């Protein structure tokens, strides 16, 4: 079917002329077209044409988007949204001055969510996650990554990955599963760390790989979590099994995560709140995407990652919500985009590149999505404004009115059309 998305005020293509990522100063160039319409053929972007030259007879489907802005579908490339339970009590502790790391050391934090996830069945976890996915879709998100890491036993990590894979079948959007068995040492292995590493390498990873339950293997490199040596043991195995690598690092302490990410050719290196200046230069020379998470700095009230320095050195920078119950209980990508602008001094254009083409690159999907270019998937977000700056300027307000995935309108405000009904 040939569809015409007719006469929007602006199309922000974020095109890269086939390179499929934007590095440093290139992030500023988002390519804003006025007076143009978009032609889709089935699930693919076919053409961008001047609105004045359109012959309406040649389209089977015409959607009028006058007064609207079209962007590539947004991509939230780092979330932990398949969690159960609440940590509102820890939020109260944090508000009274107890730190995230102190809470983790005293047995709270990730361990609390692990208990809740272990006690929840498959169906319950699916039910909890669904409104979160649907909220993402209403924001114009067409690709979403979700990590495991709250099971920390073979059975529960596999259960969580099966939940994430099942969610992918329930919705048209792409949900990318990441294995994060190395999120935290579970209580029963705290005095047998080698035993837990063996469990990951001999049981969890082989099962994940055999059943293709995850695209990426991630790990949390931090004083309260895994050491560099421990992460390496896992990354070697993951690489041998054909998984691609992601890494949480340089969040609270400089841990040498940049060298590790480079050594294992990581697809992305995430957090980087305390990255050292010399490491900025190193990572900027690679194709590893730096995924910055300003929601975490805001939620935990500490320093933001040095986005300006990374961009000026030529890094490929993305941003994401890190939606999770402990360090960023923020599901609103729009708010995170505005935080990136206000607190990390990213320009509106850099923010848009960060949540589209560079976020696609952080999921190794930028050949197929993340920009509006002929031949790419018709993954699009339509915003109720005539000028794209509004999307970042209107802080925390959802201006998305239509989400298109694989050429299908999967959400319009006031007229939701999810595959299996809307539970919002
Ligand atoms: O990305 N850094 C480690 N993991 C998450 C937090 C998970 C949690 O507290 O539940 C993060 O910030
Ligand atoms: Fe995270």
């Amino acid at each position: 079917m040939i569809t015409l998305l007719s006469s929007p005020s602006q199309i922000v293509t974020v095109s890269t002329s086939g390179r499929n990522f934007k590095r440093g100063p290139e992030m500023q160039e988002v390519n804003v077209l006025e007076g143009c319409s978009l032609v889709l053929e089935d699930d693919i972007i076919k053409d961008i044409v001047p609105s004045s030259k359109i012959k309406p007879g040649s389209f089977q489907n015409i959607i009028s988007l006058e007064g609207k802005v079209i962007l590539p579908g947004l991509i939230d490339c780092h979330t932990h949204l398949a969690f159960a339970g609440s940590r509102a009590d820890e939020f109260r502790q944090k508000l009274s001055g107890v730190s995230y790391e102190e809470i983790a050391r005293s047995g709270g934090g990730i361990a609390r969510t692990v208990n809740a996830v272990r006690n929840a069945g498959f169906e319950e976890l699916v039910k909890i996650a669904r409104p979160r996915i649907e909220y993402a879709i209403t924001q114009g998100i067409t690709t979403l990554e979700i990590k495991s890491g709250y099971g920390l036993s073979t059975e529960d990590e596999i259960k969580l990955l099966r939940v994430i894979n099942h969610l992918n079948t329930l919705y048209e959007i792409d949900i990318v599963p990441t294995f994060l068995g190395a999120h935290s040492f579970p209580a029963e292995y705290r005095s047998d760390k080698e035993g837990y590493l063996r469990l990951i390498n001999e049981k969890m990873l082989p099962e994940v790989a055999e059943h293709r339950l995850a695209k990426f293997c991630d790990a949390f490199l931090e004083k309260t979590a895994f050491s560099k040596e421990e992460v390496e043991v896992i990354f070697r195995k993951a690489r041998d099994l054909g998984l691609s690598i992601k890494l949480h690092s340089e969040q609270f302490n400089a841990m040498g995560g940049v060298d590790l990410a480079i050594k294992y050719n990581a697809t992305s290196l995430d957090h980087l709140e305390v990255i050292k200046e010399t490491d900025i230069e190193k990572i900027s020379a690679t194709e590893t995407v730096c995924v910055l998470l300003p929601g975490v700095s805001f939620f935990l009230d500490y320093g933001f990652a040095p986005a300006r320095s990374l961009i000026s050195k030529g890094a490929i920078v993305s941003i994401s919500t890190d939606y999770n119950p402990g360090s960023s209980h923020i599901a609103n990508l729009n708010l995170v985009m505005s935080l990136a602008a206000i607190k990390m001094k990213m320009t509106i254009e850099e923010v848009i590149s960060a949540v589209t083409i560079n976020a696609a690159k952080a999921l190794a999907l930028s050949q197929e999505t993340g920009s509006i270019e002929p031949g790419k998937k018709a993954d699009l977000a339509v915003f109720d404004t005539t000028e794209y700056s509004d999307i970042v300027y209107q802080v925390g307000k959802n201006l998305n009115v239509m989400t298109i995935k694989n050429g299908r309108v999967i959400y319009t405000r006031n007229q939701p059309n999810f595959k299996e009904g809307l539970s919002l």
Side-chain angles (χ1 to χ4, degrees):
M1 183 168 69
I2 308 288
T3 299
L4 178 72
L5 302 181
S6 165
S7 308
S9 283
Q10 295 176 328
I11 303 174
V12 184
T13 70
V14 200
S15 59
T16 64
S17 308
R19 206 151 73 104
N20 292 323
F21 62 83
K22 287 182 184 280
R23 183 187 281 294
E26 296 164 359
M27 292 176 69
Q28 185 59 33
E29 310 302 328
V30 293
N31 191 29
V32 182
L33 304 176
E34 299 190 344
C36 289
S37 293
L38 199 56
V39 182
L40 316 181
E41 182 169 13
D42 301 323
D43 54 338
I44 299 294
I45 294 164
K46 190 174 161 63
D47 209 356
I48 301 171
V49 294
S51 300
S52 57
K53 298 211 171 121
I54 290 167
K55 296 192 192 81
S58 37
F59 304 99
Q60 283 129 308
N61 182 23
I62 299 180
I63 301 173
S64 170
L65 294 180
E66 260 169 58
K68 309 279 189 269
V69 169
I70 308 180
L71 249 64
L74 305 184
I75 298 173
D76 198 353
C77 68
H78 178 146
T79 88
H80 307 249
L81 76 70
F83 63 86
S86 164
R87 280 158 49 197
D89 53 344
E90 291 181 359
F91 181 59
R92 281 181 186 282
Q93 280 179 273
K94 273 178 264 186
L95 295 179
S96 69
V98 187
S99 78
Y100 179 76
E101 285 169 292
E102 279 164 338
I103 291 170
R105 281 202 191 90
S106 62
I110 293 168
R112 290 274 307 287
T113 305
V114 169
N115 281 336
V117 165
R118 286 180 177 181
N119 288 326
F122 176 91
E123 293 299 340
E124 191 184 341
L125 289 167
V126 170
K127 195 170 161 211
I128 292 170
R130 290 193 57 162
R132 296 176 186 159
I133 309 280
E134 289 164 16
Y135 177 55
I137 294 171
T138 66
Q139 297 177 62
I141 290 171
T142 52
T143 304
L144 177 68
E145 186 253 20
I146 309 179
K147 301 174 196 296
S148 65
Y150 290 128
L152 309 188
S153 68
T154 308
E155 187 191 340
D156 293 298
E157 279 296 302
I158 299 300
K159 175 178 75 181
L160 206 44
L161 285 172
R162 288 200 187 282
V163 166
I164 298 165
N165 281 276
H166 182 62
L167 291 166
N168 188 37
T169 68
L170 292 182
Y171 295 96
E172 184 85 32
I173 67 164
D174 287 314
I175 296 175
V176 179
T178 294
F179 170 66
L180 181 57
H183 197 190
S184 175
F185 284 96
E188 63 275 19
Y189 279 100
R190 217 144 273 158
S191 49
D192 179 18
K193 293 188 168 179
E194 274 181 26
Y196 188 59
L197 298 183
R198 270 201 308 279
L199 183 72
I200 291 182
N201 277 6
E202 290 169 19
K203 292 272 185 325
M204 295 187 196
L205 273 171
E207 198 161 336
V208 169
E210 188 193 342
H211 300 288
R212 297 178 179 273
L213 293 173
K215 175 169 179 173
F216 296 101
C217 176
D218 197 342
F220 186 19
L221 174 58
E222 186 51 68
K223 282 186 182 165
T224 53
F226 291 74
S227 70
K228 209 170 161 184
E229 294 68 34
E230 289 161 349
V231 171
E232 274 214 78
V233 171
I234 294 158
F235 278 0
R236 271 198 294 272
K237 180 75 178 183
R239 193 179 53 185
D240 289 349
L241 289 169
L243 280 102
S244 300
I245 298 296
K246 284 178 169 286
L247 180 63
H248 282 68
S249 189
E250 319 306 273
Q251 180 179 4
F252 300 114
N253 299 284
M255 299 288 295
V258 168
D259 288 336
L260 204 55
I262 294 171
K263 182 166 175 189
Y264 288 87
N265 192 21
T267 307
S268 74
L269 175 59
D270 305 38
H271 277 288
L272 305 182
E273 288 86 341
V274 300
I275 186 173
K276 289 195 265 178
E277 202 59 36
T278 46
D279 281 340
I280 292 178
E281 282 181 22
K282 279 195 212 164
I283 200 69
S284 299
T286 72
E287 280 205 15
T288 298
V289 180
C290 299
V291 178
L292 310 184
L293 308 164
V296 178
S297 301
F298 176 64
F299 191 84
L300 297 182
D301 195 18
Y302 72 117
F304 287 77
R308 282 266 52 89
S309 184
L310 283 158
I311 291 171
S312 72
K313 295 270 165 23
I316 306 169
V317 172
S318 178
I319 55 174
S320 176
T321 60
D322 196 11
Y323 180 23
N324 76 73
S327 70
S328 179
H329 200 223
I330 302 175
N332 184 334
L333 183 59
N334 177 265
L335 172 62
V336 168
M337 290 164 68
S338 298
L339 283 176
I342 296 165
K343 303 299 288 188
M344 301 199 304
K345 310 293 175 220
M346 288 172 68
T347 68
I348 288 170
E349 291 74 18
E350 288 166 350
V351 166
I352 290 173
S353 297
V355 294
T356 55
I357 192 68
N358 285 358
K361 171 103 174 143
L363 296 177
L365 291 175
S366 63
Q367 313 287 338
E368 60 185 65
T369 192
S371 61
I372 301 177
E373 293 176 273
K376 278 202 167 180
K377 280 185 172 190
D379 293 356
L380 305 161
V382 180
F383 295 89
D384 189 16
T385 176
T386 55
E387 214 288 314
Y388 70 94
S389 306
D390 253 352
I391 297 163
V392 181
Y393 170 51
Q394 300 227 26
V395 179
K397 183 170 181 192
N398 183 8
L399 294 182
N400 179 257
V401 289
M402 182 182 288
T403 307
I404 299 174
K405 178 70 186 181
N406 297 324
R408 284 191 52 213
V409 177
I410 57 164
Y411 167 79
T412 51
R413 187 171 290 175
N414 305 325
Q415 215 186 321
N417 180 27
F418 290 117
K419 236 187 193 175
E420 291 213 344
L422 179 72
S423 61
L424 277 179

